[in-house]
Amino acid sequence: MHLAYPAVLAALLFCIGLYGVLARRNAILVLMSVELMLNAVNLNLVAFDAWLRDTLHSGQALTLFTIAIAAAEIGIGLAIVLAVYRNRGTSDIDRLRDTAETDAAETLPDTAGTDSAETADTDGAEPTSGRADGRTGKTKKAEATT
């Protein structure tokens, strides 16, 4: 058996998996691409094991270990993706970058240069919505329309 055939096939599979990881935005497709890359590595391990005629079959043993680790990884990865999909409603990787809570300074317009009377609450009786500055969504909407 020539070593070139499985090596070229493994290189093609790895390149397809690498393209999938870099180009896809769906988290499940990224996990599938990682699995394709791992299978390319497994193919290389078995091919080199057969080519070297190893009596201990260490390439095949390492392949079985890699398959077991990949199965655990895909199980945990799918559980995380499903949990994120239930909470966020999407599995788009670009939209998952903002998983941390945003800071109040990032969401509010810059108030530097305005006097504090404009940004303070008028009567203080409005319930706050958990924001750091104490303003509600109504006052922000009213400020955005003016």
Side-chain angles (χ1 to χ4, degrees), residues 55-123:
T55 56
L56 295 176
H57 298 290
S58 58
Q60 293 178 16
L62 190 57
T63 298
L64 288 175
F65 181 71
T66 306
I67 289 171
I69 295 297
E73 174 257 333
I74 199 69
I76 292 172
L78 280 176
I80 291 171
V81 168
L82 286 174
V84 167
Y85 182 78
R86 285 182 183 166
N87 289 335
R88 297 273 179 157
T90 184
S91 62
D92 188 10
I93 293 176
D94 290 336
R95 293 185 182 170
L96 298 179
R97 289 183 182 168
D98 58 344
T99 55
E101 290 185 28
T102 57
D103 195 17
E106 293 176 3
T107 58
L108 297 175
D110 187 27
T111 58
T114 61
D115 50 341
S116 60
E118 292 177 4
T119 59
D121 286 336
T122 56
D123 59 354

Side-chain angles (χ1 to χ4, degrees), residues 32-54:
M32 288 174 58
S33 298
V34 169
E35 289 295 319
L36 195 61
M37 292 168 63
L38 285 173
N39 285 330
V41 171
N42 289 339
L43 180 62
N44 268 336
L45 286 171
V46 171
F48 277 98
D49 183 52
W51 184 64
L52 293 173
R53 301 180 204 273
D54 188 14

